[in-house]
Amino acid sequence: MKPMFNPSLMCMDLLNIKEQIQVLNKRADFYHVDIMDGHFVKNITLSPDFVKAIHPICDIPLDCHLMVTTPDDFIEPLAKAGAGFICPHAETINSEAFRIINKIHDNGCKVGVVLNPATPVSYIKHYIHKLDKITVMSVDPGFSGQPFIPEMLDKIRELKQLKEENGYHYLIEVDGSCNKRTFKQLTEAGTEVFVVGSTGLFGLDSNLETAWDKMIADFNQEVNA
């Protein structure tokens, strides 16, 4: 499978959103939108209103990562705003996971689930077959630029094995410290979608086209080494 890249929009230059979206429309596979409530994680970044504002100029799916305590409150607003994927954390939905998953699908969106570093794959085993994407957090959630947690490679391998053995259709995504230092080991473990933020993309050059070219060169150089 061709690697897919999911730029984290909270790391972009928010003073030049339209210009940067136009650059990424031609290159990226998804847009990663972090929705935070100040409770599940301590900070607050983007919102359903942000999704609504940029949706008209986006040519690829908006992938909404819900770092919120009550994801049910965000499903309908995000679906109406134009979300393509809605991805709550498993830690926030397991008391009502099937209802939440069905609600996301019923609102016309694909369903992802996000696993914190300390959350095992077994936590989602009863509904894993219903998921369109599983995101492995390779850093603790809430802040960009954290160091990679190497123990997550075994979790990625486990998801890859389960997918192959059972014919599941979910995409395997990694969020956190996807960059030149980790591309090779993440790819070898089974990562299919890379969330790229400050270290992987936006910090490589002030010109986003140049930064993207550098990222792809880094990826190809490391993975093919």
Side-chain angles (χ1 to χ4, degrees):
M1 176 185 288
K2 176 182 174 292
M4 291 178 277
F5 296 96
N6 193 353
S8 178
L9 296 192
M10 77 172 186
C11 299
M12 74 190 307
D13 179 0
L14 295 177
L15 292 179
N16 294 290
I17 292 175
K18 186 174 182 180
E19 293 84 355
Q20 298 212 335
I21 290 292
Q22 289 171 341
V23 170
L24 294 172
N25 273 339
K26 302 173 184 177
R27 295 166 174 80
D29 297 282
F30 310 98
Y31 288 127
H32 188 83
V33 182
D34 286 307
I35 309 290
M36 303 181 187
D37 62 358
H39 297 97
F40 184 70
V41 291
K42 291 184 178 180
N43 53 348
I44 297 173
T45 52
L46 309 177
S47 69
D49 286 337
F50 176 83
V51 173
K52 183 178 180 180
I54 67 169
H55 177 252
I57 61 171
C58 292
D59 296 339
I60 55 179
L62 286 155
D63 172 30
C64 297
H65 173 190
L66 301 188
M67 284 182 269
V68 300
T69 303
T70 56
D72 193 16
D73 295 341
F74 291 80
I75 294 170
E76 290 183 358
L78 283 170
K80 290 178 181 177
F85 283 78
I86 296 179
C87 307
H89 271 254
E91 302 85 9
T92 68
I93 67 168
N94 266 22
S95 64
E96 51 184 358
F98 286 88
R99 188 183 68 81
I100 293 290
I101 290 167
N102 290 337
K103 184 173 180 178
I104 294 171
H105 277 148
D106 289 346
N107 275 272
C109 299
K110 292 188 175 182
V111 178
V113 158
V114 186
L115 298 173
N116 272 342
T119 304
V121 173
S122 60
Y123 200 69
I124 62 172
K125 67 179 180 179
H126 293 298
Y127 57 84
I128 192 170
H129 59 287
K130 298 176 73 70
L131 302 176
D132 301 300
K133 182 158 66 72
I134 299 173
T135 303
V136 174
M137 294 296 300
S138 58
V139 300
D140 287 324
F143 298 91
S144 64
Q146 296 181 77
F148 178 74
I149 300 172
E151 289 84 353
M152 296 306 98
L153 294 170
D154 284 339
K155 188 183 293 185
I156 298 164
R157 294 186 189 102
E158 182 179 357
L159 287 169
K160 180 182 179 182
Q161 182 177 354
L162 285 169
K163 181 177 179 178
E164 291 175 346
E165 291 178 349
N166 296 281
Y168 296 145
H169 68 279
Y170 55 75
L171 293 169
I172 301 171
E173 179 177 73
V174 171
D175 182 2
S177 200
C178 293
N179 54 44
K180 184 177 182 178
R181 294 185 297 276
T182 61
F183 282 146
K184 185 177 181 66
Q185 53 191 329
L186 289 174
T187 299
E188 291 176 345
T191 305
E192 298 164 336
V193 184
F194 300 83
V195 177
V196 284
S198 54
T199 63
L201 174 61
F202 293 98
L204 299 181
D205 197 276
S206 58
N207 180 294
L208 188 52
E209 291 180 316
T210 302
W212 186 274
D213 291 343
K214 286 184 177 181
M215 179 192 72
I216 296 300
D218 286 345
F219 183 89
N220 290 332
Q221 178 181 345
E222 295 303 314
V223 171
N224 298 321

